[in-house]
Amino acid sequence: GSAYGGEKGAHDFNARYRFLEPNCLSITTSENQRTRLRGPKGDFLIESDGRVVRLEGRDFQEDLRELDEQASLSRTFSKLTDPARMRLTKLEAPARGPDHLPGTKAMQDLVASLDWLLLESPDLAYSKTPRQRLEAHVGLDRESALPALVLFLEISTPPEERVLFAQLLRLKRWETIENRLVPLEVRAFASDPTKIPFGFDDRPHLDLWLDPKKSRFFAPLKESDFVPAP
């Protein structure tokens, strides 16, 4: 994948992701063999020498934010590749795509070329607060009928109805892996908190490429696999 960080430019990386619904996640980067782990006993950083650091407190806010985002991305990815399991509380077909997307011509042309669905589902939760409204705007390619663009929003309950979290995903190169249609390229855009009510940077902050030869959806994972070794 590639991560983009302001003036630092792009940082390429290879990583092994393991995810077990609803919230167990392990990310091991190949370059330094460090693992960020979220499991039933909390959030941890495991160094290459085996040293374990619990991720809690102010010093690790950025690590925790990234784990939150990656867990959300993993849940969304899982639901998109197995939509029959998604519980829907609302489904509409709006005439056009949502507002507040990146303003580049390429993005606006893409939005106009898609057919759109608006759905609400409790299965797309980002935060640990269950009382929020969770909705996704899904742009479908008109030839393949597969998602090409997905905007996920978490909105506070009335009367405030404020956007608490926004995530935009560009999905490409769908292929079949273990009888599931899967996007091999995922481009994630970060929301810009300076834009009101919300908006996105024009450039993605994360690009992920899935290796179809190394990907499994039915790996025999269990919660204990997401606990640091004693």
Side-chain angles (χ1 to χ4, degrees), residues 109-125:
D109 288 346
L110 174 63
V111 171
S113 72
L114 303 175
D115 291 327
W116 286 90
L117 295 176
L118 169 60
L119 59 90
E120 292 184 12
S121 171
D123 297 323
L124 293 175

Side-chain angles (χ1 to χ4, degrees), residues 73-214:
L73 180 60
S74 298
R75 281 193 296 272
T76 302
F77 187 90
S78 176
K79 299 304 180 184
L80 288 173
T81 58
D82 191 12
R85 294 174 53 232
M86 190 182 299
R87 297 169 296 168
L88 297 180
T89 57
K90 179 179 181 180
L91 179 62
E92 297 179 355
R96 64 183 187 86
D99 298 322
H100 311 296
L101 299 184
T104 63
K105 185 178 185 304
M107 177 62 72
Q108 296 302 314
D109 288 346
L110 174 63
V111 171
S113 72
L114 303 175
D115 291 327
W116 286 90
L117 295 176
L118 169 60
L119 59 90
E120 292 184 12
S121 171
D123 297 323
L124 293 175
Y126 170 76
S127 74
K128 299 176 182 178
T129 305
R131 294 184 298 276
Q132 315 304 340
R133 190 170 91 240
L134 310 162
E135 66 180 40
H137 300 255
V138 183
L140 302 176
D141 181 87
R142 288 173 181 164
E143 291 187 7
S144 67
L146 292 171
L149 204 60
V150 178
L151 170 64
F152 170 73
L153 298 176
E154 184 174 38
I155 302 171
S156 59
T157 52
E160 185 179 34
E161 293 196 324
R162 178 171 59 90
V163 173
L164 302 175
F165 173 76
Q167 186 179 64
L168 178 64
L169 304 179
R170 173 72 168 104
L171 309 174
K172 296 182 179 181
R173 294 179 54 214
W174 289 77
E175 291 191 11
T176 300
I177 301 177
E178 294 185 345
N179 296 318
R180 284 193 182 191
L181 277 169
V182 178
L184 299 186
E185 294 184 23
V186 179
R187 173 167 285 191
F189 293 79
S191 58
D192 184 347
T194 67
K195 297 180 179 179
I196 299 174
F198 74 95
F200 292 92
D201 296 331
D202 287 340
R203 188 175 69 173
H205 76 290
L206 183 66
D207 282 336
L208 296 176
W209 296 276
L210 194 68
D211 186 343
K213 296 181 180 179
K214 298 180 180 179

Side-chain angles (χ1 to χ4, degrees), residues 36-103:
R36 282 186 293 182
L37 185 72
R38 168 164 291 177
K41 294 190 176 181
D43 301 325
F44 300 89
L45 172 66
I46 304 175
E47 300 284 4
S48 58
D49 59 4
R51 183 168 57 93
V52 177
V53 179
R54 180 178 286 275
L55 299 176
E56 60 182 5
R58 188 173 303 174
D59 292 341
F60 298 105
Q61 284 185 345
E62 183 63 19
D63 294 275
L64 293 170
R65 185 197 65 78
E66 291 181 1
L67 272 175
D68 284 341
E69 182 182 42
Q70 295 290 353
S72 170
L73 180 60
S74 298
R75 281 193 296 272
T76 302
F77 187 90
S78 176
K79 299 304 180 184
L80 288 173
T81 58
D82 191 12
R85 294 174 53 232
M86 190 182 299
R87 297 169 296 168
L88 297 180
T89 57
K90 179 179 181 180
L91 179 62
E92 297 179 355
R96 64 183 187 86
D99 298 322
H100 311 296
L101 299 184

